[in-house]
Amino acid sequence: MLWVAIIGLVATGVALALAGRRVAFLYRLATSGQPAPERITYAKENAGAEIKTQLVEVFGQKKLLKWTPSGTAHFFVMWAFFILATVYLEAYGALIQGMITGTPDFHIPLIGTWPVLGFLQDFIAVAALIGLIAFAVIRLKNSPKKLGRDSRFSGSHLGGAWLVLFMIFNVIWTMFLFRGAAVNTGNFPYASGAFASELTAKILPTSELLEEIGLLLHIGVMLVFLIIVVNSKHLHIFTAPLNVLFSRRPDGLGAAQEMRSGGKVLDFEEADPEVDVFGRGKIQDTTWKGFLDFYTCTECGRCQSQCPAWNTDKPLSPKMLIIDQRDHAFKVAPYLLAGEDKRDSYPEDVLALLDKPLVGEDGVIHPDVLWSCTNCGACVEQCPVDIEHIDHILDMRRYQVMIESSFPSEAGVMLKNLENKGNPWGMPEMKRAEWIEELDFEVPIIDSTMPEGVEYLFWVGCAGALEDRAKKTTKAVAELLHIAGVKFGVLGPMEACTGDPARRLGMEFLFNMLAQQNIETLNEAGVKKIVATCPHCFNTLANEYPQLGGTYEVVHHTQLLAHLVEEGRLTPITPIEEKITYHDPCFLGRHNKVYAQPRDIMAKVPGVQAQEMHRCKDRGFCCGAGGARMWMEERLGKRINTERVDEALTTDPDTVSTACPFCLVMLGDAINEKKNSGEAKETLEVVDVAQLLIKSVKGEPVAG
């Protein structure tokens, strides 16, 4: 038995040294990037919530279980790692016990002969084996060779995945070999409960040598597996809990993160592009949290399968965006860590690799990939390990826009209009109040301070004030608030764009300028509560303005209207006998988790037959307007709004409803195209939920 112990312990030492060397390299690479002190601060200040998140997401596998077959398989395989750690404790105990006494008769103190533990060990191993079979079936069924681009595994490193499945299988069969042999030699710690081990024993001969070989094989497989894991995408076994711990809440969505250089928020009055980091121009500009994202990607492709850009034949795959950066980081890492002073000694091919642009026609990321993103958040929502794809995209956009001045030309017109006129269309500011003239009641325009008794500032937004289709929503909301007796006022010409299009494009400086202007206006007016019809305005006011000192109680109009209906201050009475399908705006739904209230309103309108689209709520499909895409031409693949309307038409609706002016425009344009081609009935229209409500409350059509 001594020879067994020597081989086992020496192999363990070598494997731990190799794994430790790899871990040290990964740590050095991650910490060579930009600091992210806010991540650590948040985790410390919200320790209780983070512990709960670990229990729910890591141990409870909440996100993975949203996809039931693969999620269930992963649940059992993951828990096998935890529970079978006790088997390895027993294996090393047997190794050392055999070395000392000559007999590998070991059990874990206190619990080591408990039949329940023996049963759990065998049960989880069998369940994991079934999980491996399920994984193999899922991968074969969804093979890129068979499905091509439609496979969520398209672009993944498939060889490594099969190798890991094979290694987990090896862990399981060597475990039963070792335990079955131990049953026969009398060295097994459990008198009952370990049903699979006992069954294995019946087909094995009684042999101490077989037990020793089984023990060495079981330990050896684990050590080889450890080295494979720290050098593969399955590094997520160790990094996923860390990535979840340091991710932004909620789910990396809501607010875009602030621009930082050296861990400090950039002050644009003092920032120097020659010294400070402006977004991400090279891989070294990535924060350590970004590197942790790279290490943690499992290449499962859930993000890719939900991405509206990928689903409409555009080059953006959120998965490959992360993989391509990770692969590039690993290629250049030895040279980055060696130091800039050794650059002159590198051969030409290495210098070309180091000088390869992060974004460019021949870069790591193609510009078409970067500019296809709508910021819809489907990738972040679905990622089981909390990778924050949008943060990566925004950082790269910021560098491209602010340093390289490289972005789609039509977006430049939008930026000039924002800077000169305070709205994306470049319309005169006095037009912001023209919609009020079409109402039969007065709406106070706040020019200095909130009038006494006015509870809400109605943030109309650029689209709500200036775009004809969105103005119908604005007037409907104003009428409903008036009927309900809610006192509100508007800023009119004093209101400027919140800055969302500029920020999502990457022009952080212009966002800051617009935001600070609006915050000053709101604070001087003494505004405390805001209701907004545009989810983009709602998200910016509620989640991003606090970054600049503007903190207000902000609600979306569907939230306020649902509350008023619930209180009985608004009563839908006239039936609307229509089949209606609701489209979830991304910045209202995924980014801010407002799913129920728009549906609650429609449920209270008599006669409405709600029809859900296949992709709805947290799996809803984008209209194509987010991420400043509203002002960029969609030249690649199928139009996203067309894809969404095609899906809506499968419910055979009389009306498509939504709760966002951008969605209203995008879906309306696609529906008009379908009408022109005869693919949609002429009576089909897209309306805001507020328009449905006012129609039922008043019993007459809303004035256009």
Side-chain angles (χ1 to χ4, degrees), residues 99 156 164 197 210 289 302 318 366 456 500 510 567 693 696:
M99 182 176 64
S156 298
V164 166
S197 297
L210 184 61
K289 174 56 173 66
R302 294 189 182 205
H366 193 278
Y456 283 95
D500 168 82
L510 182 54
E567 283 191 333
L693 182 58
S696 182

Side-chain angles (χ1 to χ4, degrees), residues 229-242:
V229 164
V230 297
N231 285 276
S232 74
K233 76 184 187 68
H234 280 78
L235 182 62
H236 78 270
I237 293 170
F238 302 115
T239 59
L242 291 174

Side-chain angles (χ1 to χ4, degrees), residues 535-555:
H536 298 264
C537 296
F538 166 59
N539 180 70
T540 307
L541 292 164
N543 300 320
E544 298 182 348
Y545 275 23
Q547 297 171 349
L548 298 169
T551 304
Y552 316 99
E553 181 184 332
V554 187
V555 296

Side-chain angles (χ1 to χ4, degrees), residues 383-398:
C383 180
V385 290
D386 285 4
I387 291 170
E388 295 159 351
H389 313 77
I390 292 177
D391 289 351
H392 290 263
I393 288 169
L394 280 181
D395 270 349
M396 285 186 274
R397 282 187 173 189
R398 285 163 169 169

Side-chain angles (χ1 to χ4, degrees), residues 499-521:
D500 168 82
R503 181 170 232 193
R504 298 289 165 170
L505 183 75
M507 181 53 82
E508 188 75 7
F509 173 75
L510 182 54
F511 164 75
N512 262 258
M513 184 182 76
L514 291 166
Q516 288 172 354
Q517 173 186 326
N518 282 325
I519 289 169
E520 183 179 350
T521 300

Side-chain angles (χ1 to χ4, degrees), residues 145-222:
K145 289 182 179 179
K146 183 165 66 172
L147 299 180
R149 186 183 175 93
D150 290 335
S151 169
R152 63 185 174 96
F153 301 118
S154 175
S156 298
H157 298 120
L158 302 176
W162 285 110
L163 176 60
V164 166
L165 292 183
F166 177 64
M167 291 306 299
I168 298 173
F169 170 71
N170 288 335
V171 167
I172 294 171
W173 77 257
T174 57
M175 166 190 152
F176 285 127
L177 175 63
F178 160 55
R179 285 161 71 89
V183 170
N184 288 339
T185 60
N187 293 323
F188 194 59
Y190 306 101
S192 63
F195 62 96
S197 297
E198 292 168 2
L199 185 63
T200 305
K202 292 179 180 180
I203 62 174
L204 295 176
T206 300
S207 167
E208 290 186 358
L209 179 61
L210 184 61
E211 181 185 2
E212 291 169 349
I213 292 173
L215 175 60
L216 278 181
L217 282 174
H218 191 47
I219 289 175
V221 164
M222 179 271 292

Side-chain angles (χ1 to χ4, degrees), residues 280-326:
R280 188 180 306 176
K282 51 188 182 297
I283 203 69
Q284 305 95 294
D285 295 337
T286 309
T287 66
W288 61 257
K289 174 56 173 66
F291 278 102
L292 197 56
D293 280 351
F294 298 160
Y295 300 164
T296 308
C297 180
T298 69
E299 302 184 26
C300 68
R302 294 189 182 205
C303 57
Q304 179 175 290
S305 71
Q306 301 298 303
C307 176
W310 183 260
N311 275 281
T312 52
D313 297 322
K314 295 173 180 61
L316 169 61
S317 159
K319 174 185 70 179
M320 288 189 277
L321 177 94
I322 298 298
I323 293 173
D324 289 346
Q325 289 183 91
R326 181 187 68 195

Side-chain angles (χ1 to χ4, degrees), residues 32-93:
S32 70
Q34 288 288 302
E38 75 281 2
R39 304 288 186 154
I40 298 173
T41 300
Y42 182 88
K44 286 180 178 178
E45 291 177 351
N46 298 272
E50 290 303 319
I51 291 171
K52 180 180 177 182
T53 301
Q54 290 288 317
L55 292 173
V56 171
E57 285 197 24
V58 178
F59 295 100
Q61 302 278 276
K62 179 183 177 182
K63 282 193 171 183
L64 276 158
L65 288 171
K66 288 181 179 180
W67 296 43
T68 306
S70 57
T72 303
H74 192 280
F75 179 87
F76 286 114
V77 172
M78 185 272 300
W79 272 99
F81 277 91
F82 296 133
I83 295 175
L84 296 187
T86 61
V87 174
Y88 275 104
L89 182 57
E90 291 170 348
Y92 274 99

